[in-house]
Amino acid sequence: MRRERLSVLANGAVGPYTLLRLRRGGIDPGVPGQFFMLEAPGRLLPRPMSLCLAPPRELAFLIDPIGPGTRALCALEAGDELHVLGPLGNGFELDVDRPLLVGGGIGIAPLPYLSERLGAPPAVLGFRSDWHAEAAALVPSAQVCVEPTLVTELIPKGLDVLACGPEAMLAAVRALAPDAQVAWEAPMACGYGACYGCAVELDGRLKRLCVEGPVLRAA
Ligand SMILES: Cc1cc2nc3c(=O)[nH]c(=O)nc-3n(C[C@H](O)[C@H](O)[C@H](O)COP(=O)(O)OP(=O)(O)OC[C@H]3O[C@@H](n4cnc5c(N)ncnc54)[C@H](O)[C@@H]3O)c2cc1C
Ligand code: FES
């Protein structure tokens, strides 16, 4: 884990989302599914973001502008600078025989880097509109569906599922594939175990998602 001030290379629209490309500096991209705390200009607390792509000398994040922090990140311009801390948490276990990537909405954010590290395995992605589905272009070998079709309808049996998406999607994935690896989210203030802001109940005990997760076994 390392904290550095990185400069923005570009910030471009991908459907309703924004791909924020930063100069990597000395920060390690880590394992897919790990996350970084990004300084959100004008906000007190940084915001957690999964690494989306790791081209040479770059770190790229796919951001959904849902609130003040994410909107400030999406408004950054080339040459702006921000503090970045990471990589943090536990990423996906990459030693799987027959991977299938499953993503929903902005939950596809960690999948481009995961796909690259796994050699472009099959992927199924679900979105709420054709506009949101433009982000599927970032994930090779992807089968895409748009509501009312749900991405869980596209999951064949017998594959090693690695999933990220909204809670309802992850609950449905868990019912279909109890051995799946899933990336969960909770609001996070520090990202490294100090504030307990991300504590969730797992197996009857409170655990910090930034330390035990964000990637967990579905069961
Ligand atoms: C490990 C991790 C990885 C993430 N990766 C990405 C990513 O790659 N791209 C991306 O766009 N977003 C990602 N997020 C979510 C992102 O961090 C939040 O959307 C962001 O912090 C919201 O900040 P804001 O100031 O824009 O909105 P806020 O005003 O803070 O939040 C807007 C609304 O969303 C809710 N909310 C905020 N954060 C979360 C959360 N984590 N889970 C559930 N509800 C939440 C708030 O309660 C509020 O209702 C990730 C979150 C985690 C924990
Ligand atoms: S975000 Fe602070 S303990 Fe997890």
Side-chain angles (χ1 to χ4, degrees), residues 33 35 48-50 62 64 66 70 104-110 163-167 170 182-188 197-200 208-210 213-216:
F35 65 98
M49 292 291 151
S50 312
L62 188 67
D64 190 4
I66 60 153
T70 45
I106 188 58
I108 75 143
C164 187
E167 229 169 286
L170 295 184
V182 296
W184 290 97
E185 280 190 16
M188 291 182 181
C198 65
V200 291
R208 290 162 298 173
L209 204 58
C210 69
V215 178
L216 301 166

Side-chain angles (χ1 to χ4, degrees), residues 33-126:
Q34 285 190 291
F35 65 98
F36 293 78
M37 296 301 285
L38 269 56
E39 175 189 356
R43 315 306 301 177
L44 186 63
L45 295 172
R47 299 300 193 265
M49 292 291 151
S50 312
L51 187 65
C52 178
L53 285 163
R57 295 179 292 285
E58 278 187 34
L59 299 174
F61 300 89
L62 188 67
I63 303 177
D64 190 4
I66 60 153
T70 45
R71 281 198 290 269
L73 285 165
C74 292
L76 287 167
E77 294 180 356
D80 288 344
E81 294 189 340
L82 70 160
H83 281 108
V84 176
L85 172 75
L88 297 161
N90 292 312
F92 289 98
E93 165 64 57
L94 301 181
D95 186 17
V96 289
D97 291 334
R98 288 171 302 165
L100 175 73
L101 313 190
V102 179
I106 188 58
I108 75 143
L111 301 188
Y113 182 36
L114 180 60
S115 176
E116 184 196 313
R117 292 287 300 269
L118 289 174
V124 291
L125 309 177

Side-chain angles (χ1 to χ4, degrees), residues 94 130-131 160 163 218:
L94 301 181
D130 289 335
W131 188 39
D160 301 309

